[in-house]
Amino acid sequence: MRSSKQFGLAYLNTGEVGAYLERHSGHVLSVIGFGRPQQLPATACVPLWVDIPVLGGHASSFEVWTSDAPVTACEHQGICGTTDGKVLFASLTLEQRAGDTLQTLANQAYMRIFGFVDHCDYRNLLRVWHYFPQINDDENGLERYRGFNIGRHEAFVANGRSIGEESVPAASALGSNGGSLTIYFMAGKQPGRAVENPRQVSAYHYPDQFGPRSPIFVRALSATLGGQECFFISGTASIVGYETLHLGDAEKQTAETLLNIRTLLQQIPHYDPAQGRMLLKVYLRHAGDLAMVQASVQAEFGTACKAVFLHSNICRSDLLLEIEGAYFNDAR
């Protein structure tokens, strides 16, 4: 029987999180809270709060990453993180002050992230999550998300990171209610294996109509961490090729999004939903779509899939939802 202290992820509500953290004491890599902040038991990492409302009746939801190995804290130039000797977790929050642009903030954030992972000798970014407010608003004549992509691209180039499958992480970027750029990330000593979706153009090859610089992420990434086979699914939406499909139709966008995820999962060797754990974060632009999307997700993945639903703006103004996920193969 596998140890309960394996590498992996749990989504927990307010009534579950305290006992879970105590049970995994010394093995907690990261705690991310969504919704209403609350006091948590002490861990090696400081909980990160993201100002996005939780849908479905819970005031708060918690994303907790744990390891099969003991976890220690690490710090460099103001970034605090944790490591189990195989993977590194950390986060940073940058407040946007008067005169700053999101482009500048994204560049500063990634310059610090690369400095941190290089210093700690975990040079390979595996998964990155980004949250910031007014994601679809205009800033100096450019949508804020597109400005963010420019700043991220500048930092990749400045740090000698190539922009292609061999060095690009899985990632997502969503709108938040707070005034800060909040990023948390996972890095490894070894690179993961990029997985692209044959139904979609790779994000880093998007044409100029989506901004001066393309987003930098792969559609999914597989890695073996602590003996656990992991498959990280980037933010996925109703996009085929590089175009948004089913404008204004949340039900059809949900079906297209789930088809894109199904296509990614089919590329996992020995994929067997009965032998693994699937966890999803589902972001909805309109809270009124919750019941339909919940039913669609359950029909696709069954009741064993753990999903948390959040109320958030999506990186394209014509997208009504986005789904990200992680699959852990417990049979391998």
Side-chain angles (χ1 to χ4, degrees):
M1 179 181 297
R2 293 182 66 92
S3 166
S4 63
K5 290 186 173 64
Q6 64 194 97
F7 180 87
L9 167 65
Y11 292 143
L12 305 161
N13 62 37
T14 302
E16 299 168 327
V17 66
Y20 188 89
L21 292 176
E22 290 177 357
R23 189 164 66 251
H24 291 80
S25 178
H27 292 260
V28 177
L29 283 160
S30 187
V31 181
I32 304 95
F34 297 88
R36 186 182 304 162
Q38 70 173 71
Q39 189 68 33
L40 296 176
T43 67
C45 62
V46 176
L48 175 70
W49 286 95
V50 180
D51 188 4
I52 294 180
V54 180
L55 298 171
H58 294 292
S60 305
S61 182
F62 299 89
E63 176 178 330
V64 181
W65 292 84
T66 56
S67 174
D68 60 328
V71 167
T72 57
C74 52
E75 187 273 338
H76 179 65
Q77 294 184 348
I79 296 182
C80 298
T82 56
T83 179
D84 62 355
K86 299 177 287 291
V87 68
L88 176 74
F89 264 89
S91 66
L92 75 164
T93 298
L94 298 181
E95 181 180 353
Q96 187 167 355
R97 303 181 185 277
D100 289 341
T101 64
L102 189 60
Q103 175 181 333
T104 300
L105 223 59
N107 179 273
Q108 292 172 354
Y110 264 88
M111 293 297 288
R112 291 180 60 185
I113 288 169
F114 286 134
F116 181 75
V117 299
D118 287 351
H119 172 80
C120 297
D121 197 27
Y122 289 83
R123 297 194 74 253
N124 301 282
L125 284 176
L126 302 176
R127 182 65 170 93
V128 189
W129 295 261
H130 313 88
Y131 300 94
F132 50 90
Q134 292 90 48
I135 190 169
N136 303 129
D137 287 5
D138 178 273
E139 185 175 73
N140 294 345
L142 189 68
E143 185 187 52
R144 279 167 58 80
Y145 176 63
R146 297 183 181 189
F148 168 85
N149 287 331
I150 296 173
R152 173 169 54 179
H153 184 277
E154 291 170 342
F156 264 77
V157 172
N159 283 273
R161 255 69 174 188
S162 62
I163 300 173
E165 286 190 2
E166 67 278 3
S167 59
V168 171
S172 50
L174 281 303
S176 64
N177 293 346
S180 302
L181 169 61
T182 299
I183 301 176
Y184 62 102
F185 58 92
M186 177 196 312
K189 290 184 177 295
Q190 302 297 324
R193 182 180 69 86
V195 177
E196 290 294 335
N197 187 342
R199 305 182 75 239
Q200 297 178 309
V201 172
S202 297
Y204 45 84
H205 288 155
Y206 276 180
D208 291 345
Q209 73 188 75
F210 295 101
R213 290 288 182 263
S214 295
I216 300 176
F217 66 91
V218 293
R219 300 294 179 182
L221 186 140
S222 66
T224 300
L225 300 169
Q228 174 73 67
E229 290 191 4
C230 310
F231 191 78
F232 304 118
I233 301 169
S234 294
T236 304
S238 179
I239 296 171
V240 176
Y242 51 75
E243 299 282 3
T244 300
L245 296 192
H246 315 301
L247 299 182
D249 191 324
E251 189 167 358
K252 288 184 177 179
Q253 284 202 11
T254 301
E256 199 73 56
T257 301
L258 291 171
L259 176 55
N260 278 329
I261 291 175
R262 193 183 316 141
T263 302
L264 289 168
L265 291 170
Q266 288 169 351
Q267 298 185 65
I268 302 176
H270 315 293
Y271 172 63
D272 182 353
Q275 297 294 324
R277 291 169 287 138
M278 174 64 74
L279 300 99
L280 301 174
K281 270 200 310 224
V282 183
Y283 304 92
L284 303 181
R285 187 179 292 274
H286 303 303
D289 294 328
L290 176 62
M292 178 274 294
V293 177
Q294 282 179 318
S296 299
V297 169
Q298 182 170 324
E300 177 73 27
F301 294 108
T303 57
C305 171
K306 180 71 172 179
V308 59
F309 296 83
L310 302 168
H311 191 195
S312 174
N313 287 331
I314 318 300
C315 65
R316 291 188 188 182
S317 59
D318 54 11
L319 289 172
L320 301 177
L321 76 154
E322 179 171 308
I323 302 177
E324 66 176 69
Y327 171 77
F328 301 94
N329 188 340
D330 294 331
R332 303 293 294 172

